Amino acid sequence: MSSATPRINFKYLSQFEGKTIRIIGKVGEKQGNNVILHTTDNGQVIVDRSKNLEKNYQTNIVEVLGIWNNNQLRELTFFNLSDNFDFTTYNQMIDLSMEHKEIFM
Amino acid sequence: MTNNSNENVIVRTITPLTARQIQLSTESEGNTFKIDKEFVMNVSLVGTVIKVLDGNTYTNYTIDDGTGQLNVRKFKRNKQNNLDDQEEQEGQEEGEKKKSEQIENPFENKYVRIIGNLKEYKNQKSFSVTKITEITDSNQITTHFLEAILVHMQRTKGILKKEQATSQESQIKEEKIEIQKETNNNNNIISQQNTTQILGLALKDKALRLISSNQTSSGISLQELSKELKSTEEEIREIVDFFLDQGQIYITIDDEHFRSTD
C-alpha cells in the first residue's frame, strides 16, 4: 500500500506536522534558499528549496510537494500549474476531500 | 450483466477515481472490479508521473495522485512482438530499461489524465492505459477530484433528492427544514430547563439525606457536602440556605456546619 501525500491548504497545515504534503500557491519572494508561497487560501508558507535548487519554478502558480516541519515546507519536488488556476474552487475541493478522507488518504 | 463469473461484465461508463480507491478495491466478479458497489471497467485518474519504464511491449508509468501510487501500463503497438522469443525479449527489456531510464519521457514529472481499464489478472490488479494526456489546464485537477467525490457519494449514499425535486418543491422543503430547526431549538431549551430543575431536585434530596444521616454534634460541613454530592460550594450554599429558611436544618459550630432538625 503506497502512502498518500495529501493536498492541503494553509488552514490544515497544523494537522500535518511532520508529514509529506502537497500545497498549491503563487510563487512569492525569494529569500536565499527559501521562497515564500502564497497559498490558495491566503496563507504564507516558507518553502525550503535547498534540496531542489537546480530546478526553477517555471510558472507563477506551483504545487509544492514537501515535508511540513517546524513552520517550513522542505521541498522534495514541485509541479508547474497553469496561470488560470482557480483558487476558490480548489479550496472548496480541499474542504470536501477532508470530509471524505476515505478516498483520499 | 449476468452472474456467471466466466462472462465478462461490460460497463460503458468512465468512472473518475483516486488511486486510493483502486488500492482499496477488493470486490470483483469474474475479472471485473467493483468500487463503491458498482462495476467499473473504464476509469480515469489524474496525477503526476513519477517514473517511466520503457519496455519492449509496454511502457510502465508510476502515477502519484496525492492519494496513493499506482503502476499503469500502456501497451505498445509493435509489429515485431514475437512471444516465442520471450526470453530474448526479457533480456532485451532489461537492457532497454536501463537505456530508456536516461531518456526523458515527455510525461515525467507532469500532471496527466489517464483513461484505462482496470482488470484482475492472476489475483493481481492491472491497469492498462487506453489514453494518457498531459494536463495543460490545471483546473482539471480540481474538477477531477470533485467528480470523484461526487460519484463516490452518489454510489454510496444515493443521488441527492434535491436534484430530483423541482425548484418550488425544494423551496418548500427548505422552509420546512427551517421551521423544524427552530422548533427543535425551542424544545431543546425547554427540555434543558426541565432537566436542570429535575437534577436540582435530586441534588436537594440527596443533600437533605446526607445532613439527616449525620449524627455528630458538629454536623456535616459544607466541604463534605460539596465532595459527596460532587457539586460546587456555591451550589451547596444555595441548597443549605434553602433548607435553613425552611427550618429543616440548623447551623452548629459555624455557618459551614449543619444538622438536620429531625
Side-chain angles (χ1 to χ4, degrees), chain B residues 148-210:
Chain B
I149 294 171
L150 178 63
V151 169
H152 171 68
M153 291 198 74
Q154 284 178 340
R155 290 182 178 181
T156 53
K157 295 180 184 167
I159 295 184
L160 194 61
K161 284 186 186 157
K162 204 171 175 181
E163 286 172 336
Q164 295 171 349
T166 61
S167 54
Q168 201 186 22
E169 266 182 290
S170 57
Q171 260 186 356
I172 296 172
K173 275 187 192 172
E174 277 181 35
E175 283 171 28
K176 279 189 186 168
I177 293 169
E178 283 308 308
I179 297 168
Q180 190 62 39
K181 278 186 190 167
E182 272 192 46
T183 348
N184 280 347
N185 277 342
N186 290 340
N187 283 345
N188 279 343
I189 293 168
I190 293 169
S191 62
Q192 269 177 19
Q193 287 170 345
N194 282 344
T195 319
T196 325
Q197 284 173 353
I198 291 167
L199 283 177
L201 280 174
L203 196 61
K204 273 190 186 159
D205 273 349
K206 285 186 191 170
L208 193 58
R209 273 180 219 170
L210 275 171

Side-chain angles (χ1 to χ4, degrees), chain B residues 14-248:
Chain B
I14 301 181
T15 311
L17 293 176
T18 65
R20 186 113 189 91
Q21 286 177 290
I22 296 176
Q23 283 171 354
L24 292 176
S25 72
T26 46
E27 274 186 85
S28 63
E29 270 182 41
N31 43 12
T32 309
F33 271 95
K34 267 186 163 181
I35 290 183
D36 293 337
K37 305 215 191 273
E38 292 223 11
F39 285 104
V40 290
M41 275 183 98
N42 295 306
V43 303
S44 68
L45 283 180
V46 164
T48 57
V49 174
I50 56 179
K51 202 159 79 171
V52 181
L53 285 178
D54 218 357
N56 220 12
T57 50
Y58 60 80
T59 310
N60 187 310
Y61 296 97
T62 307
I63 307 292
D64 185 344
D65 71 349
T67 74
Q69 295 182 357
L70 210 62
N71 280 317
V72 302
R73 285 178 187 187
K74 186 163 204 293
F75 283 89
K76 295 183 169 181
R77 284 181 201 165
N78 191 349
K79 288 175 190 171
Q80 291 164 333
N81 264 355
N82 194 344
L83 291 174
D84 290 334
D85 300 329
Q86 197 160 357
E87 275 177 39
E88 204 183 302
Q89 279 188 0
E90 280 174 344
Q92 275 185 0
E93 257 187 58
E94 284 302 311
E96 264 170 53
K97 272 183 198 173
K98 285 177 190 168
K99 269 192 218 167
S100 56
E101 267 178 60
Q102 297 161 11
I103 303 170
E104 248 193 68
N105 183 283
F107 294 129
E108 203 145 0
N109 259 334
K110 298 257 169 75
Y111 262 101
V112 294
R113 174 188 295 284
I114 294 187
I115 298 178
N117 236 296
L118 191 60
K119 281 192 191 143
E120 194 176 30
Y121 182 65
K122 292 183 183 174
N123 272 328
Q124 282 213 351
K125 287 186 193 116
S126 85
F127 192 117
S128 89
V129 176
T130 337
K131 190 163 184 184
I132 176 168
T133 46
E134 187 184 334
I135 285 189
T136 46
D137 181 346
S138 308
N139 291 306
Q140 288 191 16
I141 304 169
T142 311
T143 50
H144 173 82
F145 289 112
L146 286 172
E147 284 171 8
I149 294 171
L150 178 63
V151 169
H152 171 68
M153 291 198 74
Q154 284 178 340
R155 290 182 178 181
T156 53
K157 295 180 184 167
I159 295 184
L160 194 61
K161 284 186 186 157
K162 204 171 175 181
E163 286 172 336
Q164 295 171 349
T166 61
S167 54
Q168 201 186 22
E169 266 182 290
S170 57
Q171 260 186 356
I172 296 172
K173 275 187 192 172
E174 277 181 35
E175 283 171 28
K176 279 189 186 168
I177 293 169
E178 283 308 308
I179 297 168
Q180 190 62 39
K181 278 186 190 167
E182 272 192 46
T183 348
N184 280 347
N185 277 342
N186 290 340
N187 283 345
N188 279 343
I189 293 168
I190 293 169
S191 62
Q192 269 177 19
Q193 287 170 345
N194 282 344
T195 319
T196 325
Q197 284 173 353
I198 291 167
L199 283 177
L201 280 174
L203 196 61
K204 273 190 186 159
D205 273 349
K206 285 186 191 170
L208 193 58
R209 273 180 219 170
L210 275 171
I211 297 172
S212 308
S213 63
N214 187 298
Q215 297 298 314
T216 65
S217 54
S218 48
I220 190 167
S221 73
L222 192 76
Q223 288 79 13
E224 276 172 63
L225 279 170
S226 157
K227 205 166 117 188
E228 287 295 309
L229 298 169
K230 294 183 179 135
S231 299
T232 61
E233 289 195 6
E234 291 88 73
E235 285 174 74
I236 303 293
R237 178 51 76 185
E238 263 186 52
I239 293 173
V240 296
D241 280 349
F242 172 78
F243 287 129
L244 281 167
D245 283 346
Q246 296 274 312
Q248 285 173 294

Side-chain angles (χ1 to χ4, degrees), chain A residues 12-29:
Chain A
Y12 292 106
L13 275 171
S14 53
Q15 299 175 26
F16 289 86
E17 177 73 31
K19 301 262 159 65
T20 309
I21 48 110
R22 292 169 187 252
I23 195 157
I24 293 183
K26 202 164 172 195
V27 179
E29 211 181 61

Side-chain angles (χ1 to χ4, degrees), chain A residues 7 63 82 86 102-103 105, chain B residues 18 65 111 138-139 152:
Chain A
R7 277 188 187 77
E63 178 177 69
S82 55
D86 185 298
E102 68 274 13
I103 61 173
M105 36 192 117
Chain B
T18 65
D65 71 349
Y111 262 101
S138 308
N139 291 306
H152 171 68

